[in-house]
Amino acid sequence: MEYYSLKMRASQQVGEGEQKHEQHISGAERIVNRDSVEAVCMAMVRRAMTHSKGDPDFINVKIEKVHENDIQILKALPVTRIDVESWQEGLEKAFGLINKTVSDGLLREARNDVIKDIAKKMPELLQATFPMRGAMLYDIATGERLEPDHERGVRATYMDALHSSEVDGCKNHFNEAIVLATKVANAPGMVAEFCVSDDPNYVTGYVASKELGYVRIMKMKEMGDENGGRIFLFDSRKAKAEECIEYLQKKKVLVDVGV
Ligand code: WAQ
Ligand code: MG
């Protein structure tokens, strides 16, 4: 089988004079077989041209051949869900799960020398992710941030669902998130991921890890709130940060979501 990676990003010029800059409107990426390249490309352009954030001034579509031998196939994380009454309760549950995953991991390895109460730290970390386009890479061993560029963050890329021939022009939050979360959970040294969408109308978020699986938490922020972010919790004693970042940004992954 011949595969191609397709990536789209669209932006709009905003501001006047000195303030003039490109604002991100929409982005998408796929790994598909040769036969789907044209249709998926069209769907991406449609997605960019009809985005609610505005009309693009610039659309970049990149198409690259991917060798089958370079692709890793992963089984999707198992999915569970937690219903909550309020977003406050949702966040609390999410932080609790993160705490449990981190401390269970440390117990398994008979380590108790590091940050035990990560949950206390999470609100501050989450806040710091709001302006970022990528994720924060946080080292639970040292309490340091490991993104080469703190403003941008680290972006997981080159991933898609296996056998997905879908050429949908609009975003399915869950389908995209399960693919991303599965790739992230398999990165060297990764302990857990925490995610809240930055889409003001999408209040469901998740926490994920190999042990937890993908846990959807149905409310994690107030409707209308455009703040969201991702935190990748990493342990620098398990792997090198460069290895982890290399995997997130370069490794081609197809996720078997069982459809
Ligand atoms: N790599 C790293 N970080 C990313 C990436 C990426 N490829 N894409 C987005 N982010 C960061 C970025 O800072 C965004 O602000 C933040 O994550 C949220 O991204 O089961 O839609 O694309 O229904 O808004 C969860 C689905 C949807 C829950 C999450 O995230 C469910 C979502 P968004
Ligand atoms: Mg978004």
Side-chain angles (χ1 to χ4, degrees):
M1 189 89 91
E2 286 186 273
Y3 287 97
Y4 286 79
S5 149
L6 290 91
K7 291 178 165 184
M8 178 279 289
R9 63 193 162 87
S11 60
Q12 188 179 46
Q13 286 231 322
V14 292
E16 292 292 325
E18 297 255 302
Q19 304 294 314
K20 211 167 182 174
H21 66 280
E22 292 288 318
Q23 188 177 50
H24 176 79
I25 292 180
S26 162
E29 72 162 292
R30 303 291 304 275
I31 298 173
V32 300
N33 61 42
R34 188 190 182 93
D35 295 342
S36 305
V37 169
E38 263 189 69
V40 167
C41 183
M42 271 177 56
M44 281 182 164
V45 174
R46 192 182 322 129
R47 173 162 160 172
M49 298 292 289
T50 56
H51 203 279
S52 58
K53 271 193 180 165
D55 218 25
D57 294 318
F58 175 82
I59 303 174
N60 181 311
V61 179
K62 178 158 114 183
I63 304 175
E64 295 170 275
K65 184 164 186 158
V66 173
H67 293 282
E68 197 172 3
N69 295 341
D70 294 333
I71 298 178
Q72 181 182 21
I73 300 196
L74 295 173
K75 207 171 156 36
L77 296 174
V79 178
T80 53
R81 66 180 269 174
I82 298 181
D83 290 292
V84 288
E85 293 295 323
S86 65
W87 63 267
Q88 290 91 338
E89 185 193 345
L91 271 188
E92 211 168 291
K93 287 252 159 72
F95 294 153
L97 280 172
I98 290 285
N99 228 18
K100 185 167 161 21
T101 311
V102 169
S103 51
D104 285 356
L106 296 174
L107 277 180
R108 255 198 317 280
E109 286 141 38
R111 289 196 193 119
N112 43 21
D113 51 323
V114 288
I115 306 168
K116 292 196 194 76
D117 207 354
I118 186 78
K120 286 220 182 85
K121 189 91 188 146
M122 289 298 289
E124 177 193 329
L125 298 182
L126 176 59
Q127 189 94 29
T129 66
F130 290 163
M132 296 167 67
R133 281 201 50 217
M136 177 185 291
L137 186 64
Y138 183 79
D139 185 359
I140 62 159
T142 63
E144 269 170 47
R145 290 178 59 174
L146 301 173
E147 318 91 80
D149 177 345
H150 283 204
E151 260 174 70
R152 174 180 181 271
V154 173
R155 290 200 43 104
T157 179
Y158 290 116
M159 66 225 164
D160 200 350
L162 180 66
H163 307 310
S164 83
S165 53
E166 187 197 353
V167 289
D168 199 352
C170 71
K171 169 164 175 153
N172 181 309
H173 292 78
F174 171 75
N175 291 349
E176 289 182 12
I178 184 72
V179 167
L180 186 149
T182 300
K183 182 180 185 191
V184 169
N186 282 277
M190 194 58 68
V191 177
E193 180 191 353
F194 174 96
C195 170
V196 184
S197 178
D198 61 10
D199 187 332
N201 300 318
Y202 204 83
V203 298
T204 300
Y206 67 87
V207 294
S209 78
K210 271 194 190 162
E211 285 73 30
L212 278 175
Y214 178 98
V215 186
R216 309 183 71 191
I217 299 174
M218 302 317 284
K219 259 185 238 152
M220 277 175 66
K221 67 173 188 183
E222 202 171 6
M223 187 58 91
D225 185 352
E226 58 184 33
N227 286 321
R230 274 192 165 90
I231 304 167
F232 298 161
L233 297 162
F234 167 83
D235 187 339
S236 60
R237 288 155 313 181
K238 289 186 170 171
K240 289 211 182 78
E242 302 81 64
E243 257 183 281
C244 178
I245 294 172
E246 167 89 12
Y247 183 92
L248 294 170
Q249 295 185 342
K250 303 271 171 65
K251 185 71 193 173
K252 279 82 180 175
V253 167
L254 284 172
V255 176
D256 186 352
V257 291
V259 284

